[in-house]
Amino acid sequence: MSDRLIYLPLGGAGEIGMNTYVYGYGPEGKERLIVVDLGVTFPDMESSPGVDLIMADAAWLEANVNRIDAIFLTHGHEDHIGAMAHLWPKLKAPVYARRFTAHLVQLKMEEAGLPSDMIRIVEPRPKAVEIGPFTVQFVPVSHSIPESSALVIDTPAGRVVHTGDFKLDGNPVVGEAFDPLEWHEIAHEGAGIKALICDSTNVFTQTAGRSESTLVSPLKDLISEQKGMVVATTFASNVARLKTLAEAGREAGRSVCLLGRAMRKMVHVAEETGVLKNFPNVLSPEDAVEVGRDNLMLIVTGSQGERRAATAQLSRGKYLGFEMKDGDTFLFSSKTIPGNERSVIRIMNALSEMGVDVVDDKGGLYHVSGHANRPDLEAVHDLLRPQMLIPMHGEHRHLREHAKIAAAKGIATEVATNGTMIDLTGVVPKVVEYIETGRHYLDGTVLIGALDGVVRERIRMALNGHVLITVIIDEDDVPLGDAWVEVMGLPERGKSGGDMVRIVEDELSAFLESAPDKVVRNDDKLDEALRRIARQVAMEEVGKKPEVTVVVSRLMAE
C-alpha cells in the first residue's frame, strides 16, 4: 500500500474561527497525524443562546488518537488555542508552540486544573521539530498578536506551508516583521512548495494592507485633541495596539490605565516572555480613579460588545468607580467581527446618549487588520509559487474566491470545507473522503454536542415560551382536583381577553373530567393528551405552540 499526504480541516474552513486542522502521512487509514491549532468560536443569542464557547467536535480525533504524534499551535488567539483545556485531555499529545503562545496556554491549562508540562517551547526556523514522518519549522509572520508563526511542514511527499493568520507588515510595532527574503529561501529550497494552505479572511479587500506603524501618528493626533476623559478599546491580544495607544496617551500628557483582566494578562505575558519592551507605566484602577478627567486615558476590553467586558459596563453606568460623561471621547480602535454589529452599535448608542463622542476606525485611520488583503495574498502566491493551494480560515465565499484567484494563476486548487479530506500526494489536490464533523458547546461547565437537543430546546422555549402542567392522580386512578398550570414567556392574556393560565387550566380540567380510563392510567398517553391540548389552546389564544412539560404525580395506596 503506497503512502499518502493528507489535509483535513475540522474547524476554520467554511467559517472564521474554531481553527482545527489535521495533516497526515502514511498508508491509507494508518497515516501518522499532527494537529494544527485547537481553537474556539463564540456563540450568539440567535443560534446558540446561553452557550459559553463553541469548538470542533473531536470525535474523529478521539477515534484516531493513537495515530496523533503532536499538536502545533501557530499563535495565541482564542480561535486557535481556546479549546486546548477542553480538547487536549481527550488527545494527550505533546504540544509545540513558541514562548508567548506557550505561556498563554500554560495559564489556560493551570486555570482548568490540568497539567501544562506537555507543552514544548520551540524556537523559530532554522530550528525544527522532527516527529514521525514530519519535520516542522515555525516561521515568524506578522499578525495582530506577538510571535505568530506559519508552519513549514516537510514530509516524504513534499513541503507544505500552513500560513496560519498573517499579514504583510514590515514594521508591526511589536513582534516580528514578514520577511520576504526568508520566504524566498523557503520557496526555493529542495523541490519547492508542494502545497500552500492559506489564510483567506480578507480576500475580498481590494487594497493592499497597511502596517500597524501607520496608526501611530493618527492616534497621537486624535488623543491630543480631546478634552475630558479619553477611553479606547481594542482587542486585548493586540499588544502592539495597546502600546501605541498607551504611548499616545502619555505623550498627550495623560495618565493611562488598563481596564480588563484579559488586557492586563496579555501585557504581563508579553513583558514576561520578552516580546514587549518599554511599555509605558500605567496606573492601577484604584489610583486612576483619583486622576482628573482631562488628564486620564483608559484602555479597556470589550471592543466586540461583550456584555461583561469593561466597554459594555461603562456604557451601562459606573464601572470600578469610572463613569462616562458629556464631552468624553470613546475610541473603537478595532474592526467589528461579523455577527457582533448589533451589540457594538447598542453600546455606541448608549454612549452617545451620555453625550460621549464615539469614534470608530474611520475606514482604517485608527485600525488595521491582522490579515492579508487580496493584493497581499496574490503577492504571496507569486513569492512562494506553490504547486497547489488550499484556501483556509474563511467562510465558504472566502474560500471559493481565494480558489478562483489561484486557478487564474494556473495553481491547482480545491475548496475544502470542514470534514473534507484532501490527498496532496499527486500533482493536483484530490478529495478522497468526507468526515462527519460538528460542533461541541461549552454550556456552563459541561461539553455538549450541537445536536444533543439542549440548545435546540432552549431556542424553542425562547421563541415559543413554556407551559408547565401538573396533575395529581389518586390511588383509584382518578384525577385529584384540577390541573395546575404555570406559564413562562407567553402573554398573560390571549386574544379572547381571558387570563391565559386560567384558560389552559379550564380546558385541561374539562378533559380530565371525561378522559377515558385507559388514558388516565397510562402516563405516556396522558402526557401526550395534555400536551396537545395546551399547545392547541396557546395557538388559538396567542398564535404560539409552546414547549410543554407535563408532571403526573400518582398517589400510592398504603
Side-chain angles (χ1 to χ4, degrees):
M1 183 182 295
S2 60
D3 293 336
R4 66 177 185 175
L5 172 63
I6 60 169
Y7 160 72
L8 172 64
L10 296 176
E15 63 194 345
I16 294 177
M18 207 174 78
N19 295 279
T20 309
Y21 308 95
V22 183
Y23 293 92
Y25 182 81
E28 181 178 339
K30 298 180 180 179
E31 298 92 350
R32 301 307 302 174
L33 307 173
I34 58 172
V35 179
V36 176
D37 293 333
L38 286 175
V40 297
T41 190
F42 296 95
D44 59 72
M45 286 302 294
E46 291 185 4
S47 65
S48 47
V51 170
D52 296 277
L53 291 174
I54 303 172
M55 62 204 74
D57 183 351
W60 189 86
L61 292 175
E62 289 183 69
N64 294 281
V65 69
N66 293 331
R67 295 163 53 195
I68 300 173
D69 288 328
I71 299 167
F72 292 87
L73 303 177
T74 59
H75 64 283
H77 275 147
E78 287 296 299
D79 62 330
H80 292 259
I81 67 168
M84 274 293 299
H86 307 288
L87 298 185
W88 180 84
K90 302 173 184 289
L91 309 179
K92 288 192 165 59
V95 178
Y96 294 87
R98 297 185 63 193
R99 187 174 304 277
F100 179 78
T101 304
H103 202 104
L104 292 176
V105 174
Q106 285 170 344
L107 292 176
K108 200 174 283 290
M109 300 298 278
E110 289 165 5
E111 287 174 4
L114 295 169
S116 60
D117 56 359
M118 77 299 184
I119 302 173
R120 277 73 162 160
I121 296 174
V122 298
E123 298 299 324
R125 172 183 159 92
K127 298 287 187 181
V129 177
E130 295 186 8
I131 191 157
F134 304 98
T135 300
V136 182
Q137 299 175 80
F138 284 72
V139 185
V141 292
S142 46
H143 185 42
S144 54
I145 191 172
E147 291 195 345
S148 295
S149 299
L151 301 179
V152 172
I153 306 169
D154 286 309
T155 77
R159 170 168 284 186
V160 175
V161 170
H162 182 101
T163 67
D165 295 2
F166 79 100
K167 63 181 292 189
L168 304 187
D169 193 339
N171 184 16
V173 180
V174 174
E176 298 137 318
F178 185 93
D179 185 352
L181 293 178
E182 182 171 29
W183 282 103
H184 183 271
E185 291 177 5
I186 291 168
H188 289 83
E189 290 173 348
I193 295 173
K194 184 172 189 62
L196 173 64
I197 317 299
C198 192
D199 181 2
S200 308
T201 310
N202 284 355
V203 69
F204 289 109
T205 304
Q206 300 290 340
T207 56
R210 292 166 46 237
S211 170
E212 182 71 27
S213 61
T214 62
L215 302 182
V216 174
S217 293
L219 287 172
K220 287 180 179 177
D221 292 343
L222 173 70
I223 293 167
S224 65
E225 293 167 0
Q226 304 310 309
K227 305 297 182 185
M229 186 167 67
V230 173
V231 182
T233 185
T234 191
F235 298 98
S237 58
N238 194 339
V239 175
R241 188 74 48 79
L242 298 181
K243 184 177 182 183
T244 298
L245 287 167
E247 289 177 342
R250 292 302 300 269
E251 288 192 21
R254 293 175 178 268
S255 298
V256 176
C257 174
L258 301 179
L259 281 187
R261 188 175 70 91
M263 194 168 281
R264 294 194 299 273
K265 180 179 77 172
M266 281 291 176
V267 170
H268 173 72
V269 172
E271 290 179 327
E272 196 170 72
T273 55
V275 300
L276 178 63
K277 297 178 174 65
N278 303 316
F279 193 83
N281 291 329
V282 295
L283 297 180
S284 67
E286 294 77 15
D287 291 336
V289 78
E290 303 297 330
V291 176
R293 305 180 67 79
D294 292 354
N295 298 313
L296 181 62
M297 177 176 176
L298 306 179
I299 306 175
V300 304
T301 55
S303 66
Q304 300 306 302
E306 301 94 322
R307 182 169 179 77
R308 288 178 289 184
T311 294
Q313 301 262 29
L314 286 169
S315 75
R316 294 195 293 267
K318 284 189 176 182
Y319 178 61
L320 298 181
F322 299 99
E323 185 178 6
M324 303 299 298
K325 293 185 177 180
D326 189 2
D328 291 343
T329 300
F330 201 108
L331 167 65
F332 284 81
S333 182
S334 55
K335 180 180 179 180
T336 304
I337 296 171
N340 295 336
E341 296 92 345
R342 192 175 300 176
S343 297
V344 172
I345 290 172
R346 186 182 302 117
I347 288 172
M348 288 181 170
N349 281 321
L351 292 169
S352 181
E353 290 171 6
M354 298 175 182
V356 175
D357 294 323
V358 178
V359 181
D360 62 17
D361 73 323
K362 295 291 185 184
L365 189 60
Y366 304 125
H367 174 70
V368 294
S369 174
H371 297 270
N373 294 348
R374 186 188 189 109
D376 310 318
L377 292 172
E378 295 200 55
V380 169
H381 299 170
D382 295 338
L383 175 63
L384 301 186
R385 302 185 66 82
Q387 180 179 325
M388 61 185 79
L389 183 147
I390 310 296
M392 67 161 181
H393 202 291
E395 298 168 359
H396 193 278
R397 62 194 179 97
H398 297 96
L399 306 185
R400 187 164 177 261
E401 185 69 15
H402 200 170
K404 285 182 180 180
I405 296 171
K409 291 175 177 286
I411 303 172
T413 187
E414 185 69 55
V415 174
T417 53
N418 294 341
T420 307
M421 184 183 290
I422 302 289
D423 186 343
L424 304 174
T425 315
V427 294
V428 297
K430 179 183 176 184
V431 177
V432 291
E433 191 176 349
Y434 290 100
I435 305 299
E436 186 174 340
T437 58
R439 295 179 162 203
H440 273 162
Y441 295 152
L442 180 66
D443 194 44
T445 58
V446 178
L447 276 182
I448 61 173
L451 301 179
D452 287 356
V454 175
V455 174
R456 183 170 61 248
E457 290 176 358
R458 191 175 293 162
I459 292 172
R460 285 176 179 170
M461 285 190 285
L463 293 174
N464 298 305
H466 181 260
V467 174
L468 171 65
I469 302 169
T470 303
V471 295
I472 300 174
I473 308 297
D474 69 15
E475 302 93 328
D476 299 320
D477 293 324
V478 175
L480 187 63
D482 295 330
W484 179 47
V485 171
E486 286 188 49
V487 170
M488 294 183 67
L490 290 171
E492 289 184 9
R493 296 187 177 277
K495 67 180 183 180
S496 67
D499 180 89
M500 184 67 185
V501 169
R502 180 61 60 84
I503 294 171
V504 176
E505 287 180 341
D506 288 348
E507 289 291 331
L508 294 175
S509 297
F511 165 77
L512 290 171
E513 287 178 4
S514 59
D517 291 344
K518 65 180 181 180
V519 173
V520 177
R521 292 189 183 119
N522 187 303
D523 282 356
D524 291 338
K525 290 181 178 180
L526 186 58
D527 182 293
E528 181 183 352
L530 296 174
R531 186 188 305 271
R532 184 178 64 252
I533 293 168
R535 298 190 80 194
Q536 183 179 337
V537 172
M539 190 64 191
E540 292 171 354
E541 287 291 328
V542 299
K544 295 281 188 180
K545 287 188 176 180
E547 295 298 292
V548 179
T549 301
V550 178
V551 178
V552 178
S553 298
R554 293 185 181 272
L555 302 180
M556 304 299 291
E558 294 184 2

